[in-house]
Structure formats: structure tokens, C-alpha cells
Amino acid sequence: MNKLTTLSLIVAGLASAQMVPVYKTLKYPPLKAVQLPKVEQFTLPNGMRVLILENHELPLASGSMLVRTGQLLEPLEKSGLGSIAGTVMRSGGTRKRSADDLNAKLETMAASVEAGVSEEFARVGFSCLKENLDEVLSLFKEVATQPAFPQDKLDLALTQTRSGISRRNDDAGGIVQREFDNLIYGKDTPYGDTVEYATIANIKRADLVAFHDRYFFPANVMMSVQGDIDTAEVKAKLTALFADWTVQRPAPPAFPAVTAQRAAGVYIADKPDSEQTFFKIGQLGGKLSDKDYPVLDVMADILGGGFSSRLFQKVRSDAGLAYSIGSDWRPGYLHEGTFVIQGSTNADTTEQAIAASLKEVKRMREELVGPTELDAAKQRVANSFVFNFDSPAKTLGRMMTYQYYGYPADFINQYKDAVQKVTATEILRVAKEYIKPEAFTIVAVGQTEKFKDKLGAMGAVKTLDLTIPQPKAEAAKADSSSLAAGKAALDKIAAAVGGK
């Protein structure tokens, strides 16, 4: 190839490159409605609701069971019971086989069965190769309906929980999250309580058995199965498999309501070994079903939802006051969530970073957002939500979740349509109506001697006590016979020493 030919190719390449549009000029088609797949739904004779979705892309199968219970229903004096019950439910094996036998069987099939209890539900799930579905379903049923809860596995779970309590002040980010929730929801409520040494000391094996017995019954369960399966065959399998599970119990109690707390103010917690200050600013929020949630979601995205958000641009990029910064409107399905601004900064610039964040909140409540800013946020919000439906397994899981919480099956499309209709006027309205700076709870964790006095300009500063309450030492009961035996032994030793 001669030099002239080479030069011609280079020029042609440059010309071609100039024809490629830059990312700012790319045009995207409107976001399509989520197409919900055909899901077979039925109720077994024992009362258990079932959802089945065929997906023949891979020779795999998976499923899960949602049980209407959760940590919110555990007694406050036994905080941690739900989580520990979920752990030991799986780690302890079943009444038919030990944990080692269960694990060995699953490993030979490259399958899994997991269990856990979260705030508002318990979940037992499985995954396996299509060819092993029958055997794995049988093991799955054993874990869900016949957990052994052996004492040694409970003791191990309690030890691990105690270890977590002892280390809960190691991470400043974890501290600020915990203390913020405690203040917003109330430390003595199901939404804000903290697992302590004293609460897990109250947990006995009988409590795990009673927790499972109370809530794990067919009419209180939803189950889903998806994968390379035949709907009719799976329906027949489940009907036969669960035919002998006929436990009946009263309907579980409703989850407790959130009680408003008077937590407005500035709170600090000393973490001398943290080079950064971690802070949270916020208030009680709303529910996912609130009519204004789509508008609030877009508003929160504009304020602090990403790299192009106001908080990121003004507080981090322009002022250099934060390592990380963002905001979120976090609704609950059944209870009020939170509106949160969170970030981290240098200890010396704590007050400046918080003040700059509050300034952006004020601007959001006083000025209309621009059209470009609004359109970009609406696209980000709508697109991000659709990723919950980008696979059959996710779609079935989301449909099951909506049904569990009593939401309409097409909630995603209702939400997406509402997001596309959001206007700048509505954003200004909800910012004024819902965001209450005077009710903000501000929590900062770090080297408090560097920012305590400066934060005083925002109001009275209250210091949070991070001391971990230690378990009460139990005094040994006096035993007259053992005391007499001990005294005789000491007398014998004294006599022997004296004889020498």
C-alpha cells in the first residue's frame, strides 16, 4: 500500500467519523408499555395461591414463597426474632434431614434453597435445573413447612448476631442510617427499633417454632414458579406435593401503623476515626400508592438523582463540598417511607455541605424547573423503573409483589404514564406541599469537634449516644452443697500446706 492510498483511507475515515452523531444528538423512541406475560394463577385446595410463568429460554426453573409476616410483627422485647428465625429455618435443616444432608443433596444438583424474613414478609426460594425440579420442590417444601430449628444452629445464629451488634459502630455510614431511622420512626416502634444484646437474649428455640407455626400456613402464602416448565404439569405437581399441608390459623394481624415523631433538629454522633462526615437530611415520606408519588419521584431525581442532578452539580462539582451526594423519595408499599438527602464530606466542611444542600431544597420549593431538566429526569425515572421487568423472572417477581401488597397488576404502566405527564408546575406544587424543611431531621456522624459549633447556627445540636448496652450479668445461684464441698476442699488444702 503506497502513501497516497494510506492518506486517502485516513481522510475517508475522518469524513466517515464526522458523520457519526454525538450522543447529545441521538434520538430515542418513546418508552413502550411493559408487556405483562401470561401468568397462570390458581389456588390449591389447601388455600395456597400460586402463579406460574413458562419461560423456555434456558433449561432452568426457580420459584419462591411469600408469607405474610415479617420483622414488624415480632415483639419489641425480642427484636431480631424474625431475622434469626429465617436464618435458622434454612441453616438448621428439616425434621426429615440434617442441614449437612440437605446441603449435600442440593450441591450434587447445583441447586439452591434459601430462606429469610425481612420487614414485611418471609421468603423461601429455590432454583435448579429443569431435570431436578421434582426433587428440589420436595426439599423446598421441607424447608418451608418442616424446619427443625436445632438448638446448635440457633446458638450459632445468636453468636453471629451478637458479633454484628458489637461491630455496629465500626462504619460511620451504617451509624448515620441507623440513627436517622431511629429518629424518624421512633426507637421504640417496630420501624425504628434496634436489635440489642438484651432482645436476642430473650429469644429461645420455642420462639422460633412459635413464629413459624403462627405464620406459615397455606392460606397465608403466595407461591410462584417460573422457567422451562409446563404449566399443567407443575400445577399437578404442586397440588399433590402440598396436599398434606392443611394447617389452618387465624389471619395475621395488620402491620403496625407509622407514628409521627417529633424528631426535627440537628443530631450529631462522634466517630473520631472517620476522616469523613456522613450526613442525612430528611423527613417522613409517603406510600408508593400516593397519587403524587410519580411527581415526587421526578422531583427527587432532579434534586439529587444522579450525576446531572442539582445536588451533584452544585454541592459536589461546583463547590467541591461532598465526596458523594444525592436525594431520594423512598415510599413504602404499605407504610410511609422517607424523603432523604444523604452525602459525605470532609469534617471541616460539614456545615457548608449541609447548608448548600438545604439551599438547593429551598430553590426547588421556590422556582420552576426548566424544560430540559424536566424532560431528562422524566426519562431517567421511567427508564429505571422498567428495568424491574427486563426478564421473565423479574417480571413474575414484581407481579407477585404487587399482588402481595394489593396493588393493581398494571401498576408499572400506570406509574410510567403518570411520570410522562409530570409538569414543572406540579413539581413546584409537591415540593411546597410535601417537603417541610422546618421538620427536617439532620444527622451527622464524624469528628464532631470539627463541626459541632458550626452546626449550632441551624438550631440546637443534640448529641447521640452510641453506647451499646451490654447484657446484664446473671449472678450464679448459691448452692449450699457445693459451697460446703468447696469449703471442705479449701480446709484440706490448708491443712496439707500447714503440715508441710
Side-chain angles (χ1 to χ4, degrees), residues 46 49 59 125 206 218 344 365 429 472:
N46 66 358
R49 291 170 292 167
S344 61
R365 298 181 74 247
R429 174 183 63 81
K472 294 180 180 179

Side-chain angles (χ1 to χ4, degrees), residues 2-149:
N2 58 41
K3 293 182 179 180
L4 181 60
T5 303
T6 301
L7 181 61
S8 299
L9 289 174
I10 292 173
V11 172
L14 290 173
S16 177
Q18 290 177 349
M19 296 174 64
V20 177
V22 295
Y23 74 95
K24 290 184 178 180
T25 65
L26 294 176
K27 302 295 183 182
Y28 299 97
L31 194 65
K32 295 181 180 179
V34 174
Q35 298 299 318
L36 299 178
K38 181 181 179 181
V39 175
E40 181 77 14
Q41 301 191 44
F42 55 89
T43 301
L44 296 181
N46 66 358
M48 187 168 75
R49 291 170 292 167
V50 179
L51 293 78
I52 297 180
L53 173 62
E54 294 187 22
N55 170 26
H56 302 287
E57 292 182 2
L58 295 170
L60 303 173
S62 63
S64 65
M65 179 183 285
L66 286 184
V67 184
R68 194 170 187 80
T69 182
Q71 297 164 8
L72 291 176
L73 298 181
E74 64 191 18
L76 289 178
E77 69 274 12
K78 295 183 181 182
S79 182
L81 170 61
S83 177
I84 290 173
T87 297
V88 184
M89 187 175 175
R90 174 60 183 87
S91 68
T94 72
R95 298 174 202 163
K96 291 184 177 180
R97 68 193 79 241
S98 69
D100 289 341
D101 289 342
L102 176 62
N103 292 335
K105 274 190 168 293
L106 291 169
E107 286 173 5
T108 60
M109 297 182 287
S112 69
V113 174
E114 303 299 335
V117 177
S118 63
E119 189 175 72
E120 294 177 340
F121 59 83
R123 179 185 180 277
V124 186
F126 74 88
S127 63
C128 64
L129 297 172
K130 171 187 176 181
E131 63 198 61
N132 298 321
L133 179 59
D134 287 0
E135 189 169 3
V136 173
L137 271 175
S138 181
L139 297 174
F140 165 80
K141 181 204 171 187
E142 282 186 36
V143 172
T145 65
Q146 303 179 56
F149 294 123

